[in-house]
Short mmCIF file of all heavy atoms in Angstrom, two decimals:
data_model
loop_
_atom_site.label_atom_id
_atom_site.label_comp_id
_atom_site.label_asym_id
_atom_site.label_seq_id
_atom_site.Cartn_x
_atom_site.Cartn_y
_atom_site.Cartn_z
N MET A 1 -2.28 -48.23 0.54
CA MET A 1 -0.99 -48.88 0.58
C MET A 1 -0.32 -48.72 -0.80
O MET A 1 -0.92 -48.95 -1.82
CB MET A 1 -1.20 -50.36 0.92
CG MET A 1 0.05 -51.13 1.08
SD MET A 1 -0.38 -52.76 1.71
CE MET A 1 1.05 -53.62 1.23
N SER A 2 0.92 -48.29 -0.81
CA SER A 2 1.61 -48.12 -2.07
C SER A 2 1.98 -49.48 -2.65
O SER A 2 2.02 -50.48 -1.94
CB SER A 2 2.87 -47.26 -1.86
OG SER A 2 3.77 -47.92 -1.01
N CYS A 3 2.22 -49.50 -3.94
CA CYS A 3 2.62 -50.75 -4.57
C CYS A 3 3.86 -50.50 -5.43
O CYS A 3 4.08 -49.38 -5.91
CB CYS A 3 1.48 -51.33 -5.41
SG CYS A 3 0.95 -50.28 -6.74
N SER A 4 4.67 -51.54 -5.57
CA SER A 4 5.92 -51.42 -6.31
C SER A 4 5.94 -52.38 -7.48
O SER A 4 5.46 -53.51 -7.37
CB SER A 4 7.11 -51.71 -5.40
OG SER A 4 7.20 -50.77 -4.38
N VAL A 5 6.49 -51.92 -8.58
CA VAL A 5 6.71 -52.76 -9.76
C VAL A 5 8.13 -52.51 -10.26
O VAL A 5 8.71 -51.47 -9.97
CB VAL A 5 5.69 -52.49 -10.89
CG1 VAL A 5 4.29 -52.91 -10.49
CG2 VAL A 5 5.69 -51.03 -11.30
N LYS A 6 8.66 -53.47 -10.97
CA LYS A 6 10.01 -53.34 -11.52
C LYS A 6 9.90 -53.05 -13.01
O LYS A 6 9.28 -53.82 -13.75
CB LYS A 6 10.76 -54.65 -11.28
CG LYS A 6 12.22 -54.59 -11.62
CD LYS A 6 12.86 -55.92 -11.24
CE LYS A 6 14.33 -55.90 -11.38
NZ LYS A 6 14.91 -57.20 -11.02
N ALA A 7 10.47 -51.93 -13.43
CA ALA A 7 10.39 -51.53 -14.84
C ALA A 7 11.17 -52.51 -15.71
O ALA A 7 12.30 -52.88 -15.40
CB ALA A 7 10.95 -50.13 -15.00
N LEU A 8 10.56 -52.94 -16.80
CA LEU A 8 11.22 -53.81 -17.77
C LEU A 8 11.69 -53.02 -18.99
O LEU A 8 12.52 -53.49 -19.75
CB LEU A 8 10.28 -54.93 -18.21
CG LEU A 8 9.86 -55.90 -17.10
CD1 LEU A 8 8.86 -56.91 -17.63
CD2 LEU A 8 11.07 -56.61 -16.50
N VAL A 9 11.13 -51.84 -19.17
CA VAL A 9 11.51 -50.92 -20.23
C VAL A 9 11.65 -49.53 -19.62
O VAL A 9 11.28 -49.33 -18.46
CB VAL A 9 10.45 -50.89 -21.37
CG1 VAL A 9 10.34 -52.22 -22.06
CG2 VAL A 9 9.10 -50.45 -20.84
N GLN A 10 12.14 -48.57 -20.37
CA GLN A 10 12.24 -47.21 -19.85
C GLN A 10 10.83 -46.65 -19.72
O GLN A 10 10.06 -46.65 -20.69
CB GLN A 10 13.08 -46.34 -20.78
CG GLN A 10 13.28 -44.95 -20.26
CD GLN A 10 14.23 -44.15 -21.13
OE1 GLN A 10 14.89 -44.68 -22.00
NE2 GLN A 10 14.29 -42.85 -20.90
N LEU A 11 10.49 -46.17 -18.53
CA LEU A 11 9.15 -45.62 -18.26
C LEU A 11 9.27 -44.17 -17.84
O LEU A 11 10.17 -43.82 -17.08
CB LEU A 11 8.48 -46.40 -17.13
CG LEU A 11 8.14 -47.86 -17.36
CD1 LEU A 11 7.63 -48.48 -16.06
CD2 LEU A 11 7.12 -48.01 -18.44
N SER A 12 8.35 -43.36 -18.29
CA SER A 12 8.23 -41.97 -17.82
C SER A 12 6.88 -41.85 -17.14
O SER A 12 5.83 -41.90 -17.81
CB SER A 12 8.33 -40.99 -18.99
OG SER A 12 9.63 -41.01 -19.52
N LEU A 13 6.91 -41.72 -15.84
CA LEU A 13 5.67 -41.62 -15.06
C LEU A 13 5.74 -40.39 -14.17
O LEU A 13 6.70 -40.20 -13.42
CB LEU A 13 5.49 -42.86 -14.17
CG LEU A 13 5.40 -44.21 -14.87
CD1 LEU A 13 5.42 -45.33 -13.85
CD2 LEU A 13 4.14 -44.29 -15.69
N ASP A 14 4.72 -39.57 -14.23
CA ASP A 14 4.59 -38.39 -13.37
C ASP A 14 5.84 -37.52 -13.40
O ASP A 14 6.31 -37.03 -12.38
CB ASP A 14 4.28 -38.82 -11.92
CG ASP A 14 3.00 -39.63 -11.83
OD1 ASP A 14 2.07 -39.36 -12.62
OD2 ASP A 14 2.92 -40.53 -10.99
N GLY A 15 6.42 -37.35 -14.59
CA GLY A 15 7.56 -36.47 -14.74
C GLY A 15 8.90 -37.08 -14.35
O GLY A 15 9.92 -36.40 -14.38
N LYS A 16 8.93 -38.34 -14.00
CA LYS A 16 10.18 -39.00 -13.64
C LYS A 16 10.41 -40.18 -14.58
O LYS A 16 9.46 -40.87 -14.96
CB LYS A 16 10.14 -39.50 -12.19
CG LYS A 16 11.47 -40.06 -11.74
CD LYS A 16 11.50 -40.38 -10.27
CE LYS A 16 12.89 -40.94 -9.95
NZ LYS A 16 12.94 -41.66 -8.72
N THR A 17 11.66 -40.38 -14.98
CA THR A 17 12.01 -41.47 -15.90
C THR A 17 12.65 -42.60 -15.12
O THR A 17 13.55 -42.37 -14.31
CB THR A 17 12.97 -40.96 -16.99
OG1 THR A 17 12.32 -39.89 -17.69
CG2 THR A 17 13.29 -42.06 -17.98
N TYR A 18 12.16 -43.81 -15.34
CA TYR A 18 12.69 -45.00 -14.70
C TYR A 18 13.36 -45.88 -15.75
O TYR A 18 12.82 -46.09 -16.83
CB TYR A 18 11.56 -45.79 -14.03
CG TYR A 18 10.87 -45.02 -12.93
CD1 TYR A 18 9.73 -44.26 -13.22
CD2 TYR A 18 11.33 -45.03 -11.63
CE1 TYR A 18 9.09 -43.54 -12.23
CE2 TYR A 18 10.70 -44.31 -10.64
CZ TYR A 18 9.59 -43.58 -10.94
OH TYR A 18 8.95 -42.86 -9.96
N GLN A 19 14.54 -46.38 -15.44
CA GLN A 19 15.29 -47.22 -16.34
C GLN A 19 14.92 -48.69 -16.12
O GLN A 19 14.43 -49.05 -15.04
CB GLN A 19 16.80 -47.03 -16.11
CG GLN A 19 17.28 -45.62 -16.38
CD GLN A 19 17.00 -45.14 -17.79
OE1 GLN A 19 17.15 -45.90 -18.75
NE2 GLN A 19 16.58 -43.88 -17.93
N PRO A 20 15.16 -49.56 -17.11
CA PRO A 20 14.87 -50.99 -16.92
C PRO A 20 15.61 -51.55 -15.70
O PRO A 20 16.77 -51.23 -15.48
CB PRO A 20 15.39 -51.63 -18.20
CG PRO A 20 15.32 -50.53 -19.21
CD PRO A 20 15.62 -49.27 -18.45
N GLY A 21 14.90 -52.32 -14.90
CA GLY A 21 15.47 -52.90 -13.68
C GLY A 21 15.27 -52.04 -12.45
O GLY A 21 15.52 -52.49 -11.33
N GLU A 22 14.80 -50.82 -12.63
CA GLU A 22 14.60 -49.91 -11.51
C GLU A 22 13.21 -50.13 -10.90
O GLU A 22 12.25 -50.42 -11.62
CB GLU A 22 14.72 -48.47 -12.02
CG GLU A 22 14.94 -47.45 -10.95
CD GLU A 22 15.26 -46.07 -11.52
OE1 GLU A 22 15.53 -45.96 -12.73
OE2 GLU A 22 15.21 -45.12 -10.75
N TRP A 23 13.11 -50.00 -9.58
CA TRP A 23 11.83 -50.18 -8.90
C TRP A 23 11.02 -48.90 -8.95
O TRP A 23 11.55 -47.81 -8.70
CB TRP A 23 12.05 -50.60 -7.44
CG TRP A 23 12.52 -52.01 -7.35
CD1 TRP A 23 13.81 -52.42 -7.16
CD2 TRP A 23 11.74 -53.19 -7.46
NE1 TRP A 23 13.86 -53.79 -7.17
CE2 TRP A 23 12.62 -54.29 -7.35
CE3 TRP A 23 10.39 -53.42 -7.67
CZ2 TRP A 23 12.16 -55.60 -7.42
CZ3 TRP A 23 9.95 -54.72 -7.74
CH2 TRP A 23 10.83 -55.80 -7.61
N VAL A 24 9.76 -49.03 -9.26
CA VAL A 24 8.82 -47.91 -9.33
C VAL A 24 7.82 -48.10 -8.20
O VAL A 24 7.14 -49.12 -8.14
CB VAL A 24 8.08 -47.89 -10.68
CG1 VAL A 24 7.11 -46.72 -10.75
CG2 VAL A 24 9.04 -47.86 -11.85
N THR A 25 7.76 -47.13 -7.30
CA THR A 25 6.79 -47.20 -6.20
C THR A 25 5.66 -46.22 -6.51
O THR A 25 5.90 -45.02 -6.63
CB THR A 25 7.44 -46.85 -4.86
OG1 THR A 25 8.54 -47.75 -4.64
CG2 THR A 25 6.46 -46.98 -3.73
N LEU A 26 4.46 -46.76 -6.65
CA LEU A 26 3.29 -45.93 -6.95
C LEU A 26 2.52 -45.67 -5.67
O LEU A 26 2.40 -46.55 -4.81
CB LEU A 26 2.41 -46.65 -7.97
CG LEU A 26 3.07 -46.90 -9.33
CD1 LEU A 26 2.21 -47.83 -10.17
CD2 LEU A 26 3.28 -45.60 -10.06
N PRO A 27 1.97 -44.46 -5.51
CA PRO A 27 1.26 -44.12 -4.29
C PRO A 27 -0.09 -44.84 -4.17
O PRO A 27 -0.52 -45.55 -5.06
CB PRO A 27 1.06 -42.60 -4.40
CG PRO A 27 1.12 -42.33 -5.86
CD PRO A 27 2.04 -43.35 -6.45
N ASP A 28 -0.72 -44.62 -3.01
CA ASP A 28 -2.04 -45.23 -2.76
C ASP A 28 -3.01 -44.94 -3.90
O ASP A 28 -2.98 -43.85 -4.47
CB ASP A 28 -2.63 -44.67 -1.46
CG ASP A 28 -1.82 -45.06 -0.24
OD1 ASP A 28 -1.00 -45.98 -0.36
OD2 ASP A 28 -2.01 -44.45 0.82
N GLY A 29 -3.84 -45.90 -4.22
CA GLY A 29 -4.85 -45.71 -5.24
C GLY A 29 -4.33 -45.93 -6.67
O GLY A 29 -5.07 -45.72 -7.62
N GLN A 30 -3.08 -46.34 -6.82
CA GLN A 30 -2.51 -46.52 -8.16
C GLN A 30 -2.31 -48.00 -8.51
O GLN A 30 -1.58 -48.32 -9.43
CB GLN A 30 -1.15 -45.80 -8.24
CG GLN A 30 -1.25 -44.31 -8.12
CD GLN A 30 -1.81 -43.66 -9.35
OE1 GLN A 30 -1.55 -44.11 -10.46
NE2 GLN A 30 -2.58 -42.62 -9.17
N GLN A 31 -3.00 -48.89 -7.79
CA GLN A 31 -2.86 -50.33 -8.06
C GLN A 31 -3.32 -50.67 -9.47
O GLN A 31 -2.73 -51.51 -10.12
CB GLN A 31 -3.64 -51.16 -7.03
CG GLN A 31 -3.02 -51.20 -5.67
CD GLN A 31 -3.41 -49.99 -4.81
OE1 GLN A 31 -4.18 -49.13 -5.22
NE2 GLN A 31 -2.86 -49.92 -3.62
N GLU A 32 -4.36 -50.01 -9.94
CA GLU A 32 -4.87 -50.27 -11.29
C GLU A 32 -3.83 -49.86 -12.34
O GLU A 32 -3.63 -50.55 -13.34
CB GLU A 32 -6.17 -49.50 -11.51
CG GLU A 32 -6.85 -49.85 -12.83
CD GLU A 32 -7.27 -51.32 -12.93
OE1 GLU A 32 -7.67 -51.90 -11.92
OE2 GLU A 32 -7.16 -51.87 -14.04
N ARG A 33 -3.15 -48.77 -12.10
CA ARG A 33 -2.09 -48.32 -13.01
C ARG A 33 -0.94 -49.35 -13.04
O ARG A 33 -0.40 -49.65 -14.10
CB ARG A 33 -1.57 -46.97 -12.53
CG ARG A 33 -0.62 -46.31 -13.47
CD ARG A 33 -0.24 -44.96 -12.89
NE ARG A 33 0.44 -44.14 -13.87
CZ ARG A 33 0.95 -42.96 -13.59
NH1 ARG A 33 0.83 -42.45 -12.38
NH2 ARG A 33 1.57 -42.27 -14.51
N ALA A 34 -0.60 -49.88 -11.87
CA ALA A 34 0.44 -50.90 -11.80
C ALA A 34 0.02 -52.16 -12.55
O ALA A 34 0.82 -52.75 -13.29
CB ALA A 34 0.75 -51.23 -10.34
N ARG A 35 -1.23 -52.56 -12.39
CA ARG A 35 -1.74 -53.74 -13.11
C ARG A 35 -1.68 -53.53 -14.62
O ARG A 35 -1.39 -54.44 -15.38
CB ARG A 35 -3.17 -54.06 -12.67
CG ARG A 35 -3.20 -54.89 -11.41
CD ARG A 35 -4.61 -55.39 -11.13
NE ARG A 35 -4.92 -54.96 -9.76
CZ ARG A 35 -5.87 -54.13 -9.40
NH1 ARG A 35 -6.69 -53.65 -10.29
NH2 ARG A 35 -6.03 -53.79 -8.15
N THR A 36 -1.97 -52.31 -15.07
CA THR A 36 -1.92 -52.00 -16.49
C THR A 36 -0.49 -52.11 -17.02
O THR A 36 -0.26 -52.67 -18.09
CB THR A 36 -2.47 -50.59 -16.75
OG1 THR A 36 -3.81 -50.52 -16.26
CG2 THR A 36 -2.47 -50.25 -18.23
N LEU A 37 0.48 -51.60 -16.27
CA LEU A 37 1.88 -51.69 -16.69
C LEU A 37 2.32 -53.15 -16.80
O LEU A 37 3.01 -53.52 -17.74
CB LEU A 37 2.77 -50.94 -15.70
CG LEU A 37 2.65 -49.41 -15.68
CD1 LEU A 37 3.43 -48.85 -14.51
CD2 LEU A 37 3.15 -48.83 -16.98
N VAL A 38 1.89 -53.97 -15.85
CA VAL A 38 2.24 -55.39 -15.87
C VAL A 38 1.54 -56.08 -17.05
O VAL A 38 2.15 -56.88 -17.76
CB VAL A 38 1.86 -56.06 -14.53
CG1 VAL A 38 2.02 -57.57 -14.61
CG2 VAL A 38 2.73 -55.49 -13.40
N ALA A 39 0.28 -55.74 -17.30
CA ALA A 39 -0.49 -56.37 -18.37
C ALA A 39 0.13 -56.08 -19.74
O ALA A 39 0.13 -56.94 -20.62
CB ALA A 39 -1.93 -55.89 -18.35
N TYR A 40 0.70 -54.89 -19.92
CA TYR A 40 1.31 -54.53 -21.20
C TYR A 40 2.77 -54.98 -21.29
O TYR A 40 3.44 -54.69 -22.26
CB TYR A 40 1.22 -53.02 -21.44
CG TYR A 40 -0.15 -52.59 -21.90
CD1 TYR A 40 -0.97 -51.84 -21.06
CD2 TYR A 40 -0.61 -52.91 -23.16
CE1 TYR A 40 -2.23 -51.45 -21.47
CE2 TYR A 40 -1.87 -52.51 -23.58
CZ TYR A 40 -2.67 -51.78 -22.74
OH TYR A 40 -3.92 -51.38 -23.15
N GLY A 41 3.29 -55.65 -20.25
CA GLY A 41 4.65 -56.15 -20.28
C GLY A 41 5.70 -55.08 -20.08
O GLY A 41 6.85 -55.26 -20.43
N MET A 42 5.29 -53.96 -19.51
CA MET A 42 6.23 -52.87 -19.27
C MET A 42 6.88 -52.94 -17.89
O MET A 42 7.88 -52.28 -17.63
CB MET A 42 5.52 -51.53 -19.43
CG MET A 42 4.93 -51.33 -20.81
SD MET A 42 3.70 -50.07 -20.81
CE MET A 42 4.58 -48.72 -21.52
N ALA A 43 6.29 -53.75 -17.01
CA ALA A 43 6.81 -53.89 -15.65
C ALA A 43 6.43 -55.27 -15.14
O ALA A 43 5.57 -55.94 -15.71
CB ALA A 43 6.22 -52.81 -14.75
N GLU A 44 7.10 -55.69 -14.07
CA GLU A 44 6.73 -56.95 -13.42
C GLU A 44 6.45 -56.67 -11.96
O GLU A 44 6.98 -55.73 -11.37
CB GLU A 44 7.82 -58.00 -13.57
CG GLU A 44 9.13 -57.69 -12.91
CD GLU A 44 10.19 -58.76 -13.14
OE1 GLU A 44 10.00 -59.63 -14.01
OE2 GLU A 44 11.19 -58.72 -12.45
N GLU A 45 5.58 -57.48 -11.39
CA GLU A 45 5.16 -57.27 -10.01
C GLU A 45 6.30 -57.54 -9.05
O GLU A 45 7.15 -58.39 -9.30
CB GLU A 45 4.00 -58.19 -9.66
CG GLU A 45 2.72 -57.85 -10.40
CD GLU A 45 1.59 -58.76 -9.99
OE1 GLU A 45 1.12 -58.59 -8.85
OE2 GLU A 45 1.22 -59.61 -10.78
N ALA A 46 6.28 -56.82 -7.96
CA ALA A 46 7.25 -57.07 -6.91
C ALA A 46 6.90 -58.37 -6.21
O ALA A 46 5.72 -58.67 -6.01
CB ALA A 46 7.22 -55.91 -5.90
N PRO A 47 7.90 -59.15 -5.86
CA PRO A 47 7.60 -60.40 -5.16
C PRO A 47 7.03 -60.10 -3.78
O PRO A 47 7.36 -59.08 -3.17
CB PRO A 47 8.95 -61.10 -5.06
CG PRO A 47 9.96 -60.01 -5.20
CD PRO A 47 9.32 -58.95 -6.05
N ALA A 48 6.18 -60.97 -3.32
CA ALA A 48 5.59 -60.81 -1.99
C ALA A 48 6.67 -61.01 -0.93
O ALA A 48 7.68 -61.69 -1.17
CB ALA A 48 4.47 -61.82 -1.78
N ALA A 49 6.48 -60.38 0.19
CA ALA A 49 7.44 -60.55 1.28
C ALA A 49 7.45 -62.01 1.72
O ALA A 49 6.41 -62.64 1.84
CB ALA A 49 7.04 -59.65 2.45
N PRO A 50 8.63 -62.56 1.94
CA PRO A 50 8.70 -63.96 2.34
C PRO A 50 8.06 -64.18 3.71
O PRO A 50 8.18 -63.32 4.59
CB PRO A 50 10.19 -64.26 2.37
CG PRO A 50 10.86 -62.94 2.49
CD PRO A 50 9.94 -61.94 1.85
N VAL A 51 7.41 -65.29 3.85
CA VAL A 51 6.78 -65.62 5.12
C VAL A 51 7.77 -66.42 5.94
O VAL A 51 8.27 -67.46 5.51
CB VAL A 51 5.49 -66.45 4.89
CG1 VAL A 51 4.88 -66.84 6.22
CG2 VAL A 51 4.51 -65.67 4.05
N LYS A 52 8.08 -65.92 7.11
CA LYS A 52 9.01 -66.62 7.98
C LYS A 52 8.25 -67.53 8.92
O LYS A 52 7.32 -67.09 9.59
CB LYS A 52 9.85 -65.62 8.79
CG LYS A 52 10.80 -64.81 7.95
CD LYS A 52 11.68 -63.95 8.81
CE LYS A 52 12.66 -63.16 7.97
NZ LYS A 52 13.52 -62.32 8.80
N THR A 53 8.67 -68.77 8.96
CA THR A 53 8.04 -69.70 9.87
C THR A 53 8.75 -69.61 11.21
O THR A 53 9.98 -69.49 11.26
CB THR A 53 8.10 -71.15 9.35
OG1 THR A 53 9.46 -71.47 9.11
CG2 THR A 53 7.32 -71.29 8.06
N PRO A 54 8.00 -69.62 12.28
CA PRO A 54 8.64 -69.54 13.59
C PRO A 54 9.50 -70.76 13.86
O PRO A 54 9.11 -71.88 13.54
CB PRO A 54 7.47 -69.43 14.58
CG PRO A 54 6.30 -69.93 13.83
CD PRO A 54 6.55 -69.73 12.38
N ARG A 55 10.65 -70.54 14.42
CA ARG A 55 11.54 -71.65 14.73
C ARG A 55 11.23 -72.18 16.11
O ARG A 55 11.00 -71.40 17.04
CB ARG A 55 13.00 -71.21 14.67
CG ARG A 55 13.43 -70.82 13.29
CD ARG A 55 14.89 -70.52 13.28
NE ARG A 55 15.32 -70.14 11.94
CZ ARG A 55 16.56 -69.89 11.62
NH1 ARG A 55 17.52 -69.96 12.52
NH2 ARG A 55 16.87 -69.55 10.39
N ARG A 56 11.23 -73.46 16.21
CA ARG A 56 10.99 -74.08 17.52
C ARG A 56 12.32 -74.39 18.17
O ARG A 56 13.23 -74.88 17.53
CB ARG A 56 10.18 -75.36 17.37
CG ARG A 56 8.80 -75.10 16.82
CD ARG A 56 8.03 -76.37 16.77
NE ARG A 56 6.70 -76.13 16.20
CZ ARG A 56 5.81 -77.07 16.01
NH1 ARG A 56 6.09 -78.32 16.32
NH2 ARG A 56 4.64 -76.78 15.51
N ARG A 57 12.37 -74.10 19.42
CA ARG A 57 13.59 -74.41 20.15
C ARG A 57 13.57 -75.87 20.58
O ARG A 57 12.55 -76.39 21.01
CB ARG A 57 13.71 -73.54 21.41
CG ARG A 57 13.94 -72.10 21.08
CD ARG A 57 14.23 -71.34 22.33
NE ARG A 57 14.52 -69.96 22.00
CZ ARG A 57 15.08 -69.12 22.84
NH1 ARG A 57 15.37 -69.51 24.06
NH2 ARG A 57 15.30 -67.89 22.49
N LYS A 58 14.72 -76.48 20.44
CA LYS A 58 14.83 -77.87 20.87
C LYS A 58 15.11 -77.88 22.37
O LYS A 58 15.92 -77.12 22.87
CB LYS A 58 15.96 -78.58 20.12
CG LYS A 58 15.70 -78.73 18.64
CD LYS A 58 16.80 -79.50 17.99
CE LYS A 58 16.49 -79.66 16.49
NZ LYS A 58 17.57 -80.40 15.81
N GLY A 59 14.40 -78.77 23.03
CA GLY A 59 14.62 -78.92 24.47
C GLY A 59 15.97 -79.56 24.73
O GLY A 59 16.44 -80.40 24.00
N SER A 60 16.62 -79.13 25.78
CA SER A 60 17.94 -79.70 26.09
C SER A 60 17.90 -80.73 27.18
O SER A 60 16.95 -81.00 27.80
CB SER A 60 18.92 -78.59 26.49
OG SER A 60 18.39 -77.81 27.52
#
């Protein structure tokens, strides 16, 4: 599963340059690389997808 991080500084990864605020999607197996970028303060983790609670219908 790929992972995404948001660049906080200008990053050059795999021949592509990402500007601050730009989303970086890393391929499968690159979670450790993403954790390293976050640990050094170069990127921040993408927020988790919001969990939607099922709505109950009111009886009429």
Side-chain angles (χ1 to χ4, degrees):
M1 184 172 159
S2 63
C3 62
S4 297
V5 292
K6 189 176 187 180
L8 296 176
V9 296
Q10 184 175 349
L11 296 173
S12 292
L13 301 172
D14 301 326
K16 186 172 180 198
T17 302
Y18 298 92
Q19 298 302 319
E22 197 171 348
W23 288 100
V24 180
T25 303
L26 298 169
D28 294 345
Q30 295 287 324
Q31 288 84 2
E32 187 62 37
R33 188 177 193 185
R35 276 190 235 117
T36 302
L37 290 171
V38 171
Y40 283 110
M42 300 162 103
E44 64 182 13
E45 292 182 72
V51 177
K52 292 186 178 180
T53 56
R55 295 185 180 184
R56 296 183 182 178
R57 292 187 177 194
K58 294 183 179 180
S60 53

